[in-house]
Amino acid sequence: MSDTADTASKRPYRGRFAPSPTGPLHFGSLVAAVGSYLDAKVNHGKWLVRIEDIDTTRVVAGAASDILKTLEAYGLYWDESVIYQSQRQSLYQDVVTQLIEQQLIYACHCSRKQIKAMGGIYQGHCKNRQYPFTDSALRLTQCYATSQYQDLLQGLIQIDPRLAQEDYLIKRSDGLFAYQLVVVVDDIAQNISRVVRGADLLDPTARQLSLFQQLKQPSPEYAHLPLVVAKPGFKLSKQNYAPAISTSSAKPALLNAFEFLGLKPEKALLSESIEYMLAWAITKFSLTTVPKATEIQVSQHPVSQDPQFAIIK
Ligand SMILES: [Zn+2]
């Protein structure tokens, strides 16, 4: 891993926030946005925004522009044009075609239910069946199984080796490109050097690292922030009552996000401008003071005054 880290540290810092437009930003996504923004700015880097709208079945109309307006209301301005995955289909298809030409892809006709019945981990059932590629799910032969990696915040992450070796989906049977593929293709295209995001993506990162290797491209460094949970195991999301954060009164939620990320803001900061608050946070933020936890529970509505944060794990 030291080679990867050395390479990454020599690249210009380019970070990103990559929300899925499935609803408005809530406190959990604000923490990810603020954490990635501050880490980029502390390191004199660029902070990009990418709308991950590849799964069109989950996209909510209007959510993408709503998210961008919310980021602006919080003073979180991005440095380059926003990219939308839904407009990049040909780029993803080019990568799939390249992998097909390398004979690394096969069509799979197994249903989720069948894979579950086979133990939940795909064992290459369709590998030598030569199904045609059209109208089929496509799997990538795993040549670079990654069962551990070093996370800048969470330390050494270890993955079930069977999962690491799995031939995973890169295109679904409904024709949609898989998240694992598009996120890596976009991180390469945008030359992302460091990814700061929520700890729910700790395990999928191993798979993404294997794809960077397969595509012969340097991987970013990763720092996975603690997730905001309503109760153990339940991250804040639309499904469990997380309210949209206010765009008319951004400062209290911003202050709470700073606290969540290990900063110690005085309440007096609330009487300053948003720009001042962010500038203050840039002088104080460091990954070393972010709690090294994967889940932190909020005791009450996280945008209220003085929420309590308790580390779960
Ligand atoms: Zn199969």
Side-chain angles (χ1 to χ4, degrees), residues 106-111 114-115 118 122 124-127 129 131 139:
Y106 60 92
C108 169
H109 287 186
C110 301
S111 67
Q114 283 170 311
I115 294 165
M118 291 186 268
Y122 191 72
H125 188 253
C126 301
K127 196 168 197 140
R129 298 193 177 221
Y131 292 129
R139 288 186 182 271

Side-chain angles (χ1 to χ4, degrees), residues 13 15-19 25-43 47-49 67 70-77 196-198 223 225-226 228 245 250-263 265 269 274 277-287 290:
Y13 189 119
R16 76 333 187 256
F17 174 60
L25 285 191
H26 53 73
F27 184 69
S29 34
L30 178 68
V31 164
V34 171
S36 61
Y37 175 89
L38 292 179
D39 193 59
K41 296 300 162 185
V42 164
N43 289 289
W47 186 69
L48 313 183
V49 172
I67 287 170
T70 307
L71 291 175
E72 287 175 330
Y74 281 76
L76 302 169
Y77 294 99
V196 179
R197 61 184 176 190
L225 302 172
V228 186
I245 48 172
K251 292 195 237 172
L254 192 59
L255 192 88
N256 292 345
F258 290 168
E259 269 185 26
F260 186 93
L261 290 165
L263 297 172
L269 205 53
I274 296 250
M277 289 178 73
L278 286 168
W280 173 86
I282 291 166
T283 66
K284 307 285 182 195
F285 180 82
S286 163
L287 276 181
V290 175

Side-chain angles (χ1 to χ4, degrees), residues 167-222:
D167 292 345
Y168 57 90
L169 286 179
I170 60 161
K171 199 170 186 182
R172 299 169 13 175
S173 56
D174 59 8
L176 294 175
F177 294 102
Y179 167 74
Q180 307 296 350
L181 174 83
V182 300
V183 73
V184 168
V185 171
D186 285 340
D187 282 340
I188 292 168
Q190 295 192 291
N191 201 12
I192 300 299
S193 65
R194 185 179 292 181
V195 173
V196 179
R197 61 184 176 190
D200 50 336
L201 291 165
L202 272 172
D203 284 3
T205 298
R207 195 160 275 181
Q208 291 165 28
L209 284 166
S210 74
L211 189 51
F212 281 103
Q213 279 191 277
Q214 181 66 64
L215 298 174
K216 312 270 183 283
Q217 295 290 333
S219 57
E221 302 174 290
Y222 292 89

Side-chain angles (χ1 to χ4, degrees), residues 4 13 85 148 153 193 208 214 224 229 239 241 284:
T4 313
Y13 189 119
Q85 289 183 330
Q148 61 175 47
L153 185 58
S193 65
Q208 291 165 28
Q214 181 66 64
H224 286 90
V229 297
Q239 287 76 28
Y241 79 74
K284 307 285 182 195

Side-chain angles (χ1 to χ4, degrees), residues 65 106 112 159 167 190 192 194 230 234-235 281 288:
S65 66
Y106 60 92
R112 207 175 281 187
I159 314 296
D167 292 345
Q190 295 192 291
I192 300 299
R194 185 179 292 181
F234 287 88
K235 75 166 183 163
T288 58

